[in-house]
Amino acid sequence: MASLMQAQHELRRTNSRLGRTTPRDYAPVPTREEATGGSAGPANDLEGFANIFGGHPILTCLLVFVPLGFAAAKMEMAPTWVFLFNFIAIIPLAWIIGKATEDVAAKLGETLGGLLNASFGNAVEMLICIAGIRNDEIIVVQCTLLGSILSNLLLVMGCAFLAGGLFYPIQKFNQAGAAVQTSLLAMSVFTIGLPTIYVNILKQDSEWEHMVTVSRLASIALLGLYAAFLVFQLKTHVHLFQDESGGEEEEESPDLSAPTAAVLLLTGTVITSFATDYLIEALKGTLSSWNVSQEFVGIILLPIIGNAAEHYTAITVAMRNKMDLSLGVAAGSSCQMALLVTPFTVIVGWILDKEMTLNFHSFQLAVLLFSVLLVSTILNSGRSNWFVGYILLVTYFVVSLIYYFEGSGEDASLASLD
């Protein structure tokens, strides 16, 4: 998303100017860049790859799980190992996709770059959902969608507020921009809530068919709403989503050239699609082995894969008192999941002739509603501190406990109980 790309650019500009100083440095700090005249881009793509992998040694080491995951699937190892290896493998693959998207977008300008980030910003979640629909794991798909929204709203935002609040007692952000995002989240609750309530009140086969049609048509409308939001965010009301603390806008050169980054993006996406397929195929055996529910995996575990980059970025910029950027990453990613990825999966289900709908279970709807209400009350003040971050984290912990102790049997499933 545009806000994530902007936050990542801010991180790179700050790192090059300050050499990774601590976020408690309130006063300007002398930099070594004054003597050299600033940071220049890498001389070639090989140097760019060295910068990428050398700057993230942990994620680079995790790439070893990509061949391990593929080998485990081909050798028909126990489903638990196939699931675990591919689960870990997707984390660095998501980072590769995000980095490649960022470098391609840097050459396309603000508008086209924002559109590219809108398309690939949640590529991992989209691929997981497509694999789930193809394997008739509709409950897992719906839980992954809900879990990604909750993870960004409660876990990512909570960690960002808590981490930033430890260094700055009160942090301010643009209240008008936050209000737009909370309105979009309320709209997502409305869109998911009506089909869910409709089909639960009118328990008839004909009404189910009507709900499927309503879900598909409403998804088209949501995609149009997201397109309008991109215009609103990138063109007509850019100031609502920009960091107001100001400073110089020294642009950091991308590590890779546009053609190389595009090839890396395509390659990473294809590899990730295979990894997600293996992950979903091994899901049933893993559930029985671990004795956990589909909902726990979908709502708690799978969102970790796609939200790792957002989590890191939101916390880091919050620790540097860039709260508009941090909030844009956390709340903005939730809006993208609700308004882009969710209707996208419904359309994919329509194409594949699967009944993927906006009929989430009433309990899941209640969890989403309460979470959006809590976040809305927190963002309404235009200020944050460590305590409100702790509140969000406790809320997420309570949700995790409920789904963890739900049990693995179908009779205990919160997504199938009437």
Side-chain angles (χ1 to χ4, degrees):
M1 195 170 198
S3 53
L4 178 58
M5 180 177 66
Q6 183 182 5
Q8 291 170 337
H9 282 185
E10 176 63 29
L11 277 178
R12 298 203 312 181
R13 285 196 296 266
T14 306
N15 287 340
S16 65
R17 292 196 304 268
L18 303 181
R20 296 195 183 276
T21 56
T22 61
R24 199 182 286 276
D25 296 329
Y26 296 95
V29 179
T31 66
R32 289 174 290 183
E33 309 303 329
E34 295 171 356
T36 60
S39 175
N44 51 56
D45 287 334
L46 289 178
E47 184 178 340
F49 277 113
N51 291 342
I52 294 172
F53 295 118
H56 301 83
I58 297 178
L59 289 172
T60 301
C61 291
L62 290 180
L63 287 171
V64 72
F65 286 94
V66 175
L68 287 177
F70 281 47
K74 294 300 182 182
M75 295 171 61
E76 298 183 353
M77 295 177 62
T80 301
W81 292 110
V82 177
F83 181 90
L84 186 61
F85 285 156
N86 284 282
F87 181 89
I88 300 176
I90 293 174
I91 296 176
L93 287 172
W95 162 62
I96 292 293
I97 292 175
K99 175 57 182 171
T101 303
E102 179 189 348
D103 283 4
V104 174
K107 298 292 186 180
L108 297 179
E110 182 76 14
T111 302
L112 291 179
L115 291 175
L116 183 68
N117 272 273
S119 302
F120 287 91
N122 291 95
V124 172
E125 288 90 341
M126 288 181 175
L127 291 173
I128 291 176
C129 291
I130 292 174
I133 292 174
R134 288 170 53 197
N135 287 273
D136 293 318
E137 297 286 353
I138 303 300
I139 292 178
V140 174
V141 171
Q142 291 181 326
C143 290
T144 301
L145 295 170
L146 175 65
S148 294
I149 297 174
L150 295 177
S151 176
N152 280 299
L153 281 183
L154 302 178
L155 181 62
V156 176
M157 190 182 298
C159 288
F161 284 174
L162 178 62
L166 294 178
F167 295 97
Y168 301 91
I170 298 294
Q171 294 181 291
K172 299 181 181 179
F173 50 84
N174 193 316
Q175 190 173 355
V180 173
Q181 291 175 330
T182 54
S183 297
L184 290 174
L185 291 171
M187 172 63 187
S188 68
V189 174
F190 181 86
T191 308
I192 293 174
L194 287 186
T196 301
I197 296 173
Y198 177 82
V199 78
N200 278 278
I201 292 178
L202 302 174
K203 297 182 179 180
Q204 301 175 13
D205 292 340
S206 60
E207 302 306 331
W208 171 265
E209 295 298 328
H210 294 162
M211 187 274 300
V212 173
T213 303
V214 168
S215 295
R216 292 169 175 174
L217 295 180
S219 296
I220 297 175
L222 284 178
L223 291 176
L225 177 62
Y226 184 74
F229 174 58
L230 287 180
V231 175
F232 183 84
Q233 183 186 35
L234 300 176
K235 281 296 184 183
T236 63
H237 290 73
V238 180
H239 62 283
L240 295 180
F241 304 93
Q242 289 181 333
D243 183 68
E244 295 181 334
S245 58
E248 67 276 20
E249 289 297 320
E250 172 193 346
E251 189 62 36
E252 182 80 11
S253 299
D255 290 305
L256 302 176
S257 63
T260 303
V263 172
L264 181 62
L265 176 60
L266 179 61
T267 304
T269 303
V270 172
I271 295 175
T272 304
S273 67
F274 282 101
T276 54
D277 280 340
Y278 296 146
L279 181 82
I280 296 299
E281 289 173 1
L283 182 60
K284 288 185 177 180
T286 303
L287 292 177
S288 59
S289 176
W290 288 357
N291 195 31
V292 295
S293 65
Q294 300 177 85
E295 291 77 15
F296 178 78
V297 172
I299 292 179
I300 306 302
L301 293 185
L302 294 184
I304 295 175
I305 300 174
N307 292 336
E310 286 93 339
H311 206 152
Y312 170 78
T313 303
I315 292 175
T316 307
V317 295
M319 293 172 65
R320 291 169 180 170
N321 205 25
K322 303 285 184 179
M323 291 309 297
D324 285 301
L325 296 179
S326 180
L327 185 61
V329 172
S333 295
S334 294
C335 292
Q336 190 172 12
M337 286 299 305
L339 301 179
L340 175 63
V341 182
T342 299
F344 169 80
T345 57
V346 175
I347 300 300
V348 170
W350 190 2
I351 295 173
L352 298 178
D353 196 25
K354 306 284 187 180
E355 291 189 343
M356 172 64 199
T357 69
L358 295 177
N359 173 33
F360 288 59
H361 189 267
S362 54
F363 181 82
Q364 297 173 355
L365 173 62
V367 172
L368 178 61
L369 174 61
F370 293 149
S371 299
V372 171
L373 287 176
L374 175 62
V375 171
S376 298
T377 58
I378 290 176
L379 298 183
N380 187 49
S381 64
R383 299 186 176 192
S384 67
N385 53 66
W386 69 265
F387 185 66
V388 296
Y390 186 63
I391 291 175
L392 293 175
L393 290 178
V394 170
T395 305
Y396 187 77
F397 177 70
V398 172
V399 173
S400 302
L401 285 178
I402 291 175
Y403 283 106
Y404 179 76
F405 288 105
E406 175 185 356
S408 59
E410 184 175 346
D411 293 339
S413 174
L414 292 171
S416 60
L417 290 177
D418 293 327

